[in-house]
Amino acid sequence: MRFLSSIFIVLFFFNCTAQNKVIQTNLEKEVSLHAKPKLVIGIVVDQMRYDYLTRFYNKFGDDGFKRLINDGFNCKNNHYNYVPTYTGPGHASIFTGTSPKNHGIIANYWYNKFSKKTMYCADDSTVIAIGSKTDTDRMSPRNMKTTTFADENRLFTQMRGKTIGISVKDRGAILPAGHSANAAYWFRGKDEGNFITSSYYMDSLPEWVKTFNASNTAENYLREWNTLYDINTYTESGSDLNSFEGGFKGKENATFPYDLAVLKDDNKGFDIIKATPFGNSIVADFAIQALAGEQLGKDDITDVLTVSFSSTDYVGHNFGVNSKEIEDTYIRLDKDLERLFKALDAQVGAGEYTLFLTSDHGAVEVPAYLQSVKIPAGYFNKKEFRKKLNGFLVEKYATSDLIESFSNDQIFLNKSRLKALNLDLREVQYAIVNEVINYKNIDKVYSSETMQNTTFSNGIEALIQNGYHQKRSGDIIIIKNPAVISYSETGSTHGSGSTFDTHVPLLFYGNGIKKGSTLAKTEIIDIAPTISALLGISYPTGTTGSVLDFVID
């Protein structure tokens, strides 16, 4: 009996020990499951088509874009799921995990049908600029209706995790950082050349920002812009001298080199830096200083840094997708990314941060260039369109004031005038749809009635619906033919639902990220829930995207 008791005690002890080991192992797994990076960095490269990664790949070094491609996860078939593909909606969608239908940033500027005025996506008359003497730059994120993953991280960490947003564009700094950010900084050009913010965030600039602004960094970038390498090796772009590029005022041809110090007075002073690769360089400089100045990633509470490199957009608009200037800009951006990554390794620690890189939209080849090589393309004349449509309305309704605004390829009808004339809104919408569909360079036309009462699951109709906000969008939505733009005949632009605008890079790298790639379709709205899942925090309030679980290690 005593022997059996001894065996029971031994077995009981062994069982308890085994259970404790299982519990301990499970606890270790739990701790590992919820391990978090010290810093999340969200990088947006403005107007970056996906094929820039492949087209310029052999010109990149090993420690910039290639570091993310080779040591991170590459989503090769990543797209926007809405139109219009503009900067404001793009930045908002990346960080909120939803489309304009929910976050409300339907464009950079849109017509406000209640105030009867055009409004800007980051406008806020209740605040003032901080760090500048200007009476403009009154900016905040208040027009965005949902939270970002940075907001959710702030809430999760009891506001101890910091969020800092940086860009040369105000909207590129403000919208990604969200509503609860510690700061958003953007570059004020003109005669100032400083990074500024608004009273939404603070009453005065931190000392590190004042020191940076006093360092003459902006002045140092008023230098000659020539190609980084021999221009004859830039075989991935067209000829330097052509008729498809804009260039700078004060210089006869859009050809290298460009003396920025000489050209600045004719090109809005320090604003000229934005339209060169050096605008990206000064953003990288400022972001590196922010790491130290804000002590980002210095403890175990996750911080968020958003960095938007927007000079790629200015260069693209000016010189076009196929220019030597755009090639040189991306070669130089690769070097700036390398500097930023090395600073992250040194100041936060290799393996201690998670990073993603994407874009807010792509861009179309210059239509005049496409026409020259027999590819369908063209230009849309807004003035002629309105004249023709007004003629139709006069003939049908005996009035020319039914259209209140034409904004972002959307027609806003004058509801008061419709009521006064006893006209049915739906009937007028359908009459305009049936008229405009016959016009040159118009591909499709839809009414708000259709967008509100029909559910589309694919095609351009689904993209329109995801970009349609009932309170802010217009009564008629127009889709132009592919590669037909309302723009000058030099330079590139964007905004459509064509793949050259929707297909953008998506690279994940660092803590918690697998190495690999996929050709499965992903959407821009998947980024925020994926980062939220990685951090173990709530998804942003309007999230409609999916977690890309295959990128999480």
Side-chain angles (χ1 to χ4, degrees), residues 46-52 85 312-313 316-317 320-321 326 330 359-366 485 491-496 498-504:
D46 205 324
Q47 201 189 115
M48 185 176 183
R49 294 160 52 117
Y50 176 80
D51 64 354
Y52 288 163
T85 41
T312 42
D313 184 68
H317 277 294
V321 165
I326 204 73
Y330 276 90
S359 178
D360 54 349
H361 52 74
V364 64
E365 292 266 14
V366 179
I485 61 175
S492 298
T493 193
H494 49 87
S496 78
S498 296
T499 52
F500 51 70
D501 279 337
T502 66
H503 190 195
V504 297

PDB file of all heavy atoms in Angstrom, residues 46-52 85 312-313 316-317 320-321 326 330 359-366 485 491-496 498-504:
ATOM      1  N   ASP A  46       4.751  59.166 -53.218  1.00  0.00           N
ATOM      2  CA  ASP A  46       3.669  59.815 -53.960  1.00  0.00           C
ATOM      3  C   ASP A  46       3.824  59.592 -55.469  1.00  0.00           C
ATOM      4  O   ASP A  46       4.887  59.825 -56.034  1.00  0.00           O
ATOM      5  CB  ASP A  46       3.700  61.316 -53.641  1.00  0.00           C
ATOM      6  CG  ASP A  46       2.371  61.995 -53.825  1.00  0.00           C
ATOM      7  OD1 ASP A  46       1.648  61.626 -54.755  1.00  0.00           O
ATOM      8  OD2 ASP A  46       2.071  62.918 -53.034  1.00  0.00           O
ATOM      9  N   GLN A  47       2.763  59.125 -56.109  1.00  0.00           N
ATOM     10  CA  GLN A  47       2.691  58.889 -57.560  1.00  0.00           C
ATOM     11  C   GLN A  47       3.678  57.803 -58.006  1.00  0.00           C
ATOM     12  O   GLN A  47       4.287  57.904 -59.064  1.00  0.00           O
ATOM     13  CB  GLN A  47       2.933  60.180 -58.354  1.00  0.00           C
ATOM     14  CG  GLN A  47       2.383  60.125 -59.772  1.00  0.00           C
ATOM     15  CD  GLN A  47       2.778  61.297 -60.647  1.00  0.00           C
ATOM     16  OE1 GLN A  47       3.485  61.116 -61.621  1.00  0.00           O
ATOM     17  NE2 GLN A  47       2.318  62.492 -60.318  1.00  0.00           N
ATOM     18  N   MET A  48       3.792  56.723 -57.239  1.00  0.00           N
ATOM     19  CA  MET A  48       4.702  55.648 -57.624  1.00  0.00           C
ATOM     20  C   MET A  48       3.941  54.486 -58.250  1.00  0.00           C
ATOM     21  O   MET A  48       3.234  53.741 -57.571  1.00  0.00           O
ATOM     22  CB  MET A  48       5.503  55.145 -56.422  1.00  0.00           C
ATOM     23  CG  MET A  48       6.539  54.099 -56.817  1.00  0.00           C
ATOM     24  SD  MET A  48       7.575  53.587 -55.441  1.00  0.00           S
ATOM     25  CE  MET A  48       8.697  52.467 -56.321  1.00  0.00           C
ATOM     26  N   ARG A  49       4.089  54.329 -59.555  1.00  0.00           N
ATOM     27  CA  ARG A  49       3.556  53.157 -60.243  1.00  0.00           C
ATOM     28  C   ARG A  49       4.320  51.917 -59.789  1.00  0.00           C
ATOM     29  O   ARG A  49       5.504  51.988 -59.454  1.00  0.00           O
ATOM     30  CB  ARG A  49       3.728  53.318 -61.754  1.00  0.00           C
ATOM     31  CG  ARG A  49       2.925  54.416 -62.379  1.00  0.00           C
ATOM     32  CD  ARG A  49       3.493  54.835 -63.735  1.00  0.00           C
ATOM     33  NE  ARG A  49       3.704  53.738 -64.651  1.00  0.00           N
ATOM     34  CZ  ARG A  49       3.070  53.601 -65.825  1.00  0.00           C
ATOM     35  NH1 ARG A  49       2.161  54.491 -66.192  1.00  0.00           N
ATOM     36  NH2 ARG A  49       3.343  52.586 -66.628  1.00  0.00           N
ATOM     37  N   TYR A  50       3.640  50.744 -59.818  1.00  0.00           N
ATOM     38  CA  TYR A  50       4.337  49.522 -59.417  1.00  0.00           C
ATOM     39  C   TYR A  50       5.541  49.250 -60.316  1.00  0.00           C
ATOM     40  O   TYR A  50       6.595  48.812 -59.851  1.00  0.00           O
ATOM     41  CB  TYR A  50       3.404  48.301 -59.453  1.00  0.00           C
ATOM     42  CG  TYR A  50       4.165  47.038 -59.123  1.00  0.00           C
ATOM     43  CD1 TYR A  50       4.440  46.715 -57.798  1.00  0.00           C
ATOM     44  CD2 TYR A  50       4.679  46.213 -60.128  1.00  0.00           C
ATOM     45  CE1 TYR A  50       5.188  45.590 -57.480  1.00  0.00           C
ATOM     46  CE2 TYR A  50       5.423  45.086 -59.817  1.00  0.00           C
ATOM     47  CZ  TYR A  50       5.677  44.787 -58.487  1.00  0.00           C
ATOM     48  OH  TYR A  50       6.435  43.685 -58.175  1.00  0.00           O
ATOM     49  N   ASP A  51       5.409  49.538 -61.622  1.00  0.00           N
ATOM     50  CA  ASP A  51       6.491  49.161 -62.535  1.00  0.00           C
ATOM     51  C   ASP A  51       7.757  49.997 -62.355  1.00  0.00           C
ATOM     52  O   ASP A  51       8.786  49.677 -62.958  1.00  0.00           O
ATOM     53  CB  ASP A  51       6.024  49.184 -64.001  1.00  0.00           C
ATOM     54  CG  ASP A  51       5.629  50.560 -64.506  1.00  0.00           C
ATOM     55  OD1 ASP A  51       5.597  51.515 -63.719  1.00  0.00           O
ATOM     56  OD2 ASP A  51       5.345  50.668 -65.724  1.00  0.00           O
ATOM     57  N   TYR A  52       7.725  51.031 -61.528  1.00  0.00           N
ATOM     58  CA  TYR A  52       8.974  51.724 -61.201  1.00  0.00           C
ATOM     59  C   TYR A  52       9.920  50.796 -60.424  1.00  0.00           C
ATOM     60  O   TYR A  52      11.141  50.915 -60.541  1.00  0.00           O
ATOM     61  CB  TYR A  52       8.710  52.981 -60.373  1.00  0.00           C
ATOM     62  CG  TYR A  52       8.087  54.140 -61.142  1.00  0.00           C
ATOM     63  CD1 TYR A  52       7.479  55.186 -60.469  1.00  0.00           C
ATOM     64  CD2 TYR A  52       8.122  54.192 -62.533  1.00  0.00           C
ATOM     65  CE1 TYR A  52       6.914  56.261 -61.154  1.00  0.00           C
ATOM     66  CE2 TYR A  52       7.559  55.250 -63.226  1.00  0.00           C
ATOM     67  CZ  TYR A  52       6.956  56.282 -62.528  1.00  0.00           C
ATOM     68  OH  TYR A  52       6.397  57.338 -63.210  1.00  0.00           O
ATOM     69  N   THR A  85      -8.275  58.351 -57.792  1.00  0.00           N
ATOM     70  CA  THR A  85      -6.976  58.036 -57.196  1.00  0.00           C
ATOM     71  C   THR A  85      -6.147  59.312 -57.078  1.00  0.00           C
ATOM     72  O   THR A  85      -5.327  59.635 -57.948  1.00  0.00           O
ATOM     73  CB  THR A  85      -6.253  56.984 -58.055  1.00  0.00           C
ATOM     74  OG1 THR A  85      -6.444  57.298 -59.447  1.00  0.00           O
ATOM     75  CG2 THR A  85      -6.794  55.588 -57.786  1.00  0.00           C
ATOM     76  N   THR A 312       8.352  62.945 -55.714  1.00  0.00           N
ATOM     77  CA  THR A 312       8.116  62.076 -56.877  1.00  0.00           C
ATOM     78  C   THR A 312       6.852  62.501 -57.630  1.00  0.00           C
ATOM     79  O   THR A 312       6.786  62.392 -58.859  1.00  0.00           O
ATOM     80  CB  THR A 312       7.980  60.625 -56.417  1.00  0.00           C
ATOM     81  OG1 THR A 312       7.172  60.583 -55.225  1.00  0.00           O
ATOM     82  CG2 THR A 312       9.338  60.027 -56.090  1.00  0.00           C
ATOM     83  N   ASP A 313       5.860  62.982 -56.900  1.00  0.00           N
ATOM     84  CA  ASP A 313       4.612  63.435 -57.512  1.00  0.00           C
ATOM     85  C   ASP A 313       4.819  64.734 -58.275  1.00  0.00           C
ATOM     86  O   ASP A 313       4.371  64.877 -59.418  1.00  0.00           O
ATOM     87  CB  ASP A 313       3.547  63.616 -56.431  1.00  0.00           C
ATOM     88  CG  ASP A 313       2.186  63.999 -57.003  1.00  0.00           C
ATOM     89  OD1 ASP A 313       1.583  63.153 -57.685  1.00  0.00           O
ATOM     90  OD2 ASP A 313       1.738  65.138 -56.766  1.00  0.00           O
ATOM     91  N   GLY A 316       6.792  63.972 -61.381  1.00  0.00           N
ATOM     92  CA  GLY A 316       5.955  63.262 -62.342  1.00  0.00           C
ATOM     93  C   GLY A 316       4.977  64.176 -63.044  1.00  0.00           C
ATOM     94  O   GLY A 316       4.796  64.098 -64.270  1.00  0.00           O
ATOM     95  N   HIS A 317       4.330  65.062 -62.288  1.00  0.00           N
ATOM     96  CA  HIS A 317       3.393  66.004 -62.892  1.00  0.00           C
ATOM     97  C   HIS A 317       4.094  66.914 -63.896  1.00  0.00           C
ATOM     98  O   HIS A 317       3.532  67.251 -64.945  1.00  0.00           O
ATOM     99  CB  HIS A 317       2.726  66.856 -61.812  1.00  0.00           C
ATOM    100  CG  HIS A 317       1.552  66.210 -61.157  1.00  0.00           C
ATOM    101  ND1 HIS A 317       0.399  65.929 -61.837  1.00  0.00           N
ATOM    102  CD2 HIS A 317       1.357  65.789 -59.876  1.00  0.00           C
ATOM    103  CE1 HIS A 317      -0.477  65.363 -61.006  1.00  0.00           C
ATOM    104  NE2 HIS A 317       0.087  65.252 -59.817  1.00  0.00           N
ATOM    105  N   GLY A 320       6.688  63.955 -66.390  1.00  0.00           N
ATOM    106  CA  GLY A 320       6.054  62.784 -66.951  1.00  0.00           C
ATOM    107  C   GLY A 320       6.707  61.470 -66.574  1.00  0.00           C
ATOM    108  O   GLY A 320       7.858  61.417 -66.125  1.00  0.00           O
ATOM    109  N   VAL A 321       5.946  60.409 -66.780  1.00  0.00           N
ATOM    110  CA  VAL A 321       6.333  59.054 -66.380  1.00  0.00           C
ATOM    111  C   VAL A 321       7.596  58.568 -67.085  1.00  0.00           C
ATOM    112  O   VAL A 321       8.391  57.821 -66.520  1.00  0.00           O
ATOM    113  CB  VAL A 321       5.149  58.095 -66.676  1.00  0.00           C
ATOM    114  CG1 VAL A 321       5.570  56.643 -66.630  1.00  0.00           C
ATOM    115  CG2 VAL A 321       4.007  58.360 -65.692  1.00  0.00           C
ATOM    116  N   ILE A 326      12.305  61.692 -63.944  1.00  0.00           N
ATOM    117  CA  ILE A 326      11.658  60.753 -63.016  1.00  0.00           C
ATOM    118  C   ILE A 326      12.602  59.601 -62.701  1.00  0.00           C
ATOM    119  O   ILE A 326      12.656  59.119 -61.566  1.00  0.00           O
ATOM    120  CB  ILE A 326      10.297  60.258 -63.561  1.00  0.00           C
ATOM    121  CG1 ILE A 326       9.381  59.805 -62.402  1.00  0.00           C
ATOM    122  CG2 ILE A 326      10.443  59.107 -64.530  1.00  0.00           C
ATOM    123  CD1 ILE A 326       8.824  60.913 -61.589  1.00  0.00           C
ATOM    124  N   TYR A 330      13.988  58.640 -58.807  1.00  0.00           N
ATOM    125  CA  TYR A 330      13.867  57.354 -58.110  1.00  0.00           C
ATOM    126  C   TYR A 330      15.229  56.770 -57.752  1.00  0.00           C
ATOM    127  O   TYR A 330      15.377  56.120 -56.705  1.00  0.00           O
ATOM    128  CB  TYR A 330      13.025  56.369 -58.929  1.00  0.00           C
ATOM    129  CG  TYR A 330      11.557  56.592 -58.665  1.00  0.00           C
ATOM    130  CD1 TYR A 330      10.828  57.486 -59.439  1.00  0.00           C
ATOM    131  CD2 TYR A 330      10.924  55.976 -57.596  1.00  0.00           C
ATOM    132  CE1 TYR A 330       9.494  57.743 -59.172  1.00  0.00           C
ATOM    133  CE2 TYR A 330       9.591  56.224 -57.315  1.00  0.00           C
ATOM    134  CZ  TYR A 330       8.879  57.109 -58.100  1.00  0.00           C
ATOM    135  OH  TYR A 330       7.563  57.373 -57.811  1.00  0.00           O
ATOM    136  N   SER A 359       2.260  53.429 -52.168  1.00  0.00           N
ATOM    137  CA  SER A 359       2.052  54.709 -52.835  1.00  0.00           C
ATOM    138  C   SER A 359       0.588  55.107 -52.758  1.00  0.00           C
ATOM    139  O   SER A 359      -0.288  54.259 -52.562  1.00  0.00           O
ATOM    140  CB  SER A 359       2.481  54.616 -54.306  1.00  0.00           C
ATOM    141  OG  SER A 359       2.244  55.837 -54.981  1.00  0.00           O
ATOM    142  N   ASP A 360       0.333  56.398 -52.913  1.00  0.00           N
ATOM    143  CA  ASP A 360      -1.039  56.907 -52.836  1.00  0.00           C
ATOM    144  C   ASP A 360      -1.779  56.809 -54.165  1.00  0.00           C
ATOM    145  O   ASP A 360      -2.998  56.956 -54.213  1.00  0.00           O
ATOM    146  CB  ASP A 360      -1.053  58.357 -52.335  1.00  0.00           C
ATOM    147  CG  ASP A 360      -0.164  59.275 -53.166  1.00  0.00           C
ATOM    148  OD1 ASP A 360       0.618  58.774 -53.995  1.00  0.00           O
ATOM    149  OD2 ASP A 360      -0.254  60.501 -52.972  1.00  0.00           O
ATOM    150  N   HIS A 361      -1.056  56.542 -55.256  1.00  0.00           N
ATOM    151  CA  HIS A 361      -1.645  56.370 -56.584  1.00  0.00           C
ATOM    152  C   HIS A 361      -0.507  56.199 -57.576  1.00  0.00           C
ATOM    153  O   HIS A 361       0.657  56.427 -57.254  1.00  0.00           O
ATOM    154  CB  HIS A 361      -2.506  57.577 -56.998  1.00  0.00           C
ATOM    155  CG  HIS A 361      -1.803  58.900 -56.879  1.00  0.00           C
ATOM    156  ND1 HIS A 361      -0.824  59.304 -57.766  1.00  0.00           N
ATOM    157  CD2 HIS A 361      -1.912  59.902 -55.964  1.00  0.00           C
ATOM    158  CE1 HIS A 361      -0.366  60.489 -57.407  1.00  0.00           C
ATOM    159  NE2 HIS A 361      -1.001  60.881 -56.312  1.00  0.00           N
ATOM    160  N   GLY A 362      -0.847  55.800 -58.796  1.00  0.00           N
ATOM    161  CA  GLY A 362       0.147  55.719 -59.848  1.00  0.00           C
ATOM    162  C   GLY A 362       0.093  56.951 -60.733  1.00  0.00           C
ATOM    163  O   GLY A 362      -0.119  58.066 -60.246  1.00  0.00           O
ATOM    164  N   ALA A 363       0.271  56.750 -62.050  1.00  0.00           N
ATOM    165  CA  ALA A 363       0.232  57.876 -62.992  1.00  0.00           C
ATOM    166  C   ALA A 363       0.109  57.347 -64.411  1.00  0.00           C
ATOM    167  O   ALA A 363       0.544  56.233 -64.714  1.00  0.00           O
ATOM    168  CB  ALA A 363       1.481  58.740 -62.858  1.00  0.00           C
ATOM    169  N   VAL A 364      -0.451  58.178 -65.275  1.00  0.00           N
ATOM    170  CA  VAL A 364      -0.597  57.834 -66.686  1.00  0.00           C
ATOM    171  C   VAL A 364       0.625  58.344 -67.456  1.00  0.00           C
ATOM    172  O   VAL A 364       1.218  59.368 -67.104  1.00  0.00           O
ATOM    173  CB  VAL A 364      -1.887  58.457 -67.262  1.00  0.00           C
ATOM    174  CG1 VAL A 364      -1.841  59.980 -67.247  1.00  0.00           C
ATOM    175  CG2 VAL A 364      -2.164  57.948 -68.676  1.00  0.00           C
ATOM    176  N   GLU A 365       1.020  57.615 -68.488  1.00  0.00           N
ATOM    177  CA  GLU A 365       2.004  58.156 -69.424  1.00  0.00           C
ATOM    178  C   GLU A 365       1.417  59.430 -70.041  1.00  0.00           C
ATOM    179  O   GLU A 365       0.196  59.580 -70.174  1.00  0.00           O
ATOM    180  CB  GLU A 365       2.285  57.146 -70.536  1.00  0.00           C
ATOM    181  CG  GLU A 365       3.014  55.895 -70.099  1.00  0.00           C
ATOM    182  CD  GLU A 365       4.519  56.001 -70.267  1.00  0.00           C
ATOM    183  OE1 GLU A 365       5.016  57.126 -70.474  1.00  0.00           O
ATOM    184  OE2 GLU A 365       5.177  54.955 -70.192  1.00  0.00           O
ATOM    185  N   VAL A 366       2.272  60.366 -70.424  1.00  0.00           N
ATOM    186  CA  VAL A 366       1.788  61.595 -71.055  1.00  0.00           C
ATOM    187  C   VAL A 366       0.959  61.212 -72.292  1.00  0.00           C
ATOM    188  O   VAL A 366       1.469  60.550 -73.210  1.00  0.00           O
ATOM    189  CB  VAL A 366       2.967  62.494 -71.478  1.00  0.00           C
ATOM    190  CG1 VAL A 366       2.450  63.761 -72.159  1.00  0.00           C
ATOM    191  CG2 VAL A 366       3.831  62.848 -70.272  1.00  0.00           C
ATOM    192  N   ILE A 485      -7.174  62.612 -70.132  1.00  0.00           N
ATOM    193  CA  ILE A 485      -7.033  63.397 -68.903  1.00  0.00           C
ATOM    194  C   ILE A 485      -7.434  64.852 -69.116  1.00  0.00           C
ATOM    195  O   ILE A 485      -7.403  65.353 -70.243  1.00  0.00           O
ATOM    196  CB  ILE A 485      -5.587  63.338 -68.364  1.00  0.00           C
ATOM    197  CG1 ILE A 485      -4.600  63.915 -69.389  1.00  0.00           C
ATOM    198  CG2 ILE A 485      -5.212  61.895 -68.017  1.00  0.00           C
ATOM    199  CD1 ILE A 485      -3.164  64.011 -68.888  1.00  0.00           C
ATOM    200  N   GLY A 491       3.666  66.563 -69.126  1.00  0.00           N
ATOM    201  CA  GLY A 491       3.606  66.012 -67.781  1.00  0.00           C
ATOM    202  C   GLY A 491       2.510  64.977 -67.604  1.00  0.00           C
ATOM    203  O   GLY A 491       1.628  64.818 -68.447  1.00  0.00           O
ATOM    204  N   SER A 492       2.592  64.262 -66.488  1.00  0.00           N
ATOM    205  CA  SER A 492       1.648  63.181 -66.170  1.00  0.00           C
ATOM    206  C   SER A 492       0.698  63.594 -65.060  1.00  0.00           C
ATOM    207  O   SER A 492       0.999  64.493 -64.268  1.00  0.00           O
ATOM    208  CB  SER A 492       2.410  61.925 -65.731  1.00  0.00           C
ATOM    209  OG  SER A 492       3.251  61.449 -66.762  1.00  0.00           O
ATOM    210  N   THR A 493      -0.425  62.906 -64.984  1.00  0.00           N
ATOM    211  CA  THR A 493      -1.335  63.098 -63.857  1.00  0.00           C
ATOM    212  C   THR A 493      -1.957  61.753 -63.506  1.00  0.00           C
ATOM    213  O   THR A 493      -1.509  60.699 -63.951  1.00  0.00           O
ATOM    214  CB  THR A 493      -2.388  64.174 -64.170  1.00  0.00           C
ATOM    215  OG1 THR A 493      -3.058  64.543 -62.950  1.00  0.00           O
ATOM    216  CG2 THR A 493      -3.395  63.712 -65.203  1.00  0.00           C
ATOM    217  N   HIS A 494      -3.021  61.768 -62.718  1.00  0.00           N
ATOM    218  CA  HIS A 494      -3.609  60.539 -62.173  1.00  0.00           C
ATOM    219  C   HIS A 494      -5.039  60.824 -61.748  1.00  0.00           C
ATOM    220  O   HIS A 494      -5.513  61.949 -61.832  1.00  0.00           O
ATOM    221  CB  HIS A 494      -2.784  60.067 -60.971  1.00  0.00           C
ATOM    222  CG  HIS A 494      -2.516  61.167 -59.987  1.00  0.00           C
ATOM    223  ND1 HIS A 494      -3.374  61.502 -58.961  1.00  0.00           N
ATOM    224  CD2 HIS A 494      -1.487  62.054 -59.899  1.00  0.00           C
ATOM    225  CE1 HIS A 494      -2.880  62.528 -58.281  1.00  0.00           C
ATOM    226  NE2 HIS A 494      -1.743  62.890 -58.825  1.00  0.00           N
ATOM    227  N   GLY A 495      -5.720  59.806 -61.251  1.00  0.00           N
ATOM    228  CA  GLY A 495      -7.085  59.985 -60.766  1.00  0.00           C
ATOM    229  C   GLY A 495      -8.060  58.942 -61.252  1.00  0.00           C
ATOM    230  O   GLY A 495      -9.165  58.824 -60.720  1.00  0.00           O
ATOM    231  N   SER A 496      -7.676  58.155 -62.255  1.00  0.00           N
ATOM    232  CA  SER A 496      -8.609  57.221 -62.876  1.00  0.00           C
ATOM    233  C   SER A 496      -8.626  55.866 -62.165  1.00  0.00           C
ATOM    234  O   SER A 496      -7.901  55.629 -61.210  1.00  0.00           O
ATOM    235  CB  SER A 496      -8.216  57.007 -64.344  1.00  0.00           C
ATOM    236  OG  SER A 496      -7.105  56.125 -64.440  1.00  0.00           O
ATOM    237  N   SER A 498      -7.960  53.153 -64.031  1.00  0.00           N
ATOM    238  CA  SER A 498      -7.120  52.305 -64.872  1.00  0.00           C
ATOM    239  C   SER A 498      -5.936  51.778 -64.061  1.00  0.00           C
ATOM    240  O   SER A 498      -5.516  52.402 -63.079  1.00  0.00           O
ATOM    241  CB  SER A 498      -6.609  53.088 -66.083  1.00  0.00           C
ATOM    242  OG  SER A 498      -7.675  53.487 -66.907  1.00  0.00           O
ATOM    243  N   THR A 499      -5.378  50.662 -64.490  1.00  0.00           N
ATOM    244  CA  THR A 499      -4.328  50.019 -63.697  1.00  0.00           C
ATOM    245  C   THR A 499      -3.087  50.874 -63.554  1.00  0.00           C
ATOM    246  O   THR A 499      -2.362  50.732 -62.567  1.00  0.00           O
ATOM    247  CB  THR A 499      -3.945  48.659 -64.302  1.00  0.00           C
ATOM    248  OG1 THR A 499      -3.635  48.826 -65.687  1.00  0.00           O
ATOM    249  CG2 THR A 499      -5.077  47.658 -64.155  1.00  0.00           C
ATOM    250  N   PHE A 500      -2.818  51.769 -64.499  1.00  0.00           N
ATOM    251  CA  PHE A 500      -1.645  52.629 -64.329  1.00  0.00           C
ATOM    252  C   PHE A 500      -1.807  53.559 -63.129  1.00  0.00           C
ATOM    253  O   PHE A 500      -0.825  54.068 -62.592  1.00  0.00           O
ATOM    254  CB  PHE A 500      -1.319  53.427 -65.605  1.00  0.00           C
ATOM    255  CG  PHE A 500      -2.482  54.192 -66.203  1.00  0.00           C
ATOM    256  CD1 PHE A 500      -3.018  55.298 -65.590  1.00  0.00           C
ATOM    257  CD2 PHE A 500      -3.016  53.777 -67.419  1.00  0.00           C
ATOM    258  CE1 PHE A 500      -4.068  56.006 -66.149  1.00  0.00           C
ATOM    259  CE2 PHE A 500      -4.074  54.481 -68.002  1.00  0.00           C
ATOM    260  CZ  PHE A 500      -4.604  55.593 -67.368  1.00  0.00           C
ATOM    261  N   ASP A 501      -3.048  53.780 -62.689  1.00  0.00           N
ATOM    262  CA  ASP A 501      -3.303  54.583 -61.492  1.00  0.00           C
ATOM    263  C   ASP A 501      -3.531  53.742 -60.238  1.00  0.00           C
ATOM    264  O   ASP A 501      -3.224  54.178 -59.124  1.00  0.00           O
ATOM    265  CB  ASP A 501      -4.523  55.489 -61.704  1.00  0.00           C
ATOM    266  CG  ASP A 501      -4.195  56.750 -62.489  1.00  0.00           C
ATOM    267  OD1 ASP A 501      -3.020  57.153 -62.494  1.00  0.00           O
ATOM    268  OD2 ASP A 501      -5.118  57.324 -63.094  1.00  0.00           O
ATOM    269  N   THR A 502      -4.103  52.546 -60.399  1.00  0.00           N
ATOM    270  CA  THR A 502      -4.462  51.743 -59.217  1.00  0.00           C
ATOM    271  C   THR A 502      -3.351  50.807 -58.756  1.00  0.00           C
ATOM    272  O   THR A 502      -3.295  50.445 -57.589  1.00  0.00           O
ATOM    273  CB  THR A 502      -5.713  50.889 -59.491  1.00  0.00           C
ATOM    274  OG1 THR A 502      -5.420  49.904 -60.495  1.00  0.00           O
ATOM    275  CG2 THR A 502      -6.888  51.756 -59.939  1.00  0.00           C
ATOM    276  N   HIS A 503      -2.458  50.385 -59.669  1.00  0.00           N
ATOM    277  CA  HIS A 503      -1.445  49.378 -59.341  1.00  0.00           C
ATOM    278  C   HIS A 503      -0.208  50.056 -58.754  1.00  0.00           C
ATOM    279  O   HIS A 503       0.524  50.759 -59.456  1.00  0.00           O
ATOM    280  CB  HIS A 503      -1.067  48.592 -60.597  1.00  0.00           C
ATOM    281  CG  HIS A 503      -0.214  47.397 -60.332  1.00  0.00           C
ATOM    282  ND1 HIS A 503       0.481  46.748 -61.329  1.00  0.00           N
ATOM    283  CD2 HIS A 503       0.070  46.720 -59.181  1.00  0.00           C
ATOM    284  CE1 HIS A 503       1.158  45.729 -60.818  1.00  0.00           C
ATOM    285  NE2 HIS A 503       0.917  45.695 -59.517  1.00  0.00           N
ATOM    286  N   VAL A 504       0.011  49.846 -57.452  1.00  0.00           N
ATOM    287  CA  VAL A 504       1.109  50.502 -56.744  1.00  0.00           C
ATOM    288  C   VAL A 504       1.875  49.481 -55.905  1.00  0.00           C
ATOM    289  O   VAL A 504       1.352  48.408 -55.587  1.00  0.00           O
ATOM    290  CB  VAL A 504       0.586  51.640 -55.833  1.00  0.00           C
ATOM    291  CG1 VAL A 504      -0.077  52.738 -56.650  1.00  0.00           C
ATOM    292  CG2 VAL A 504      -0.371  51.094 -54.769  1.00  0.00           C
TER     293      VAL A 504
END
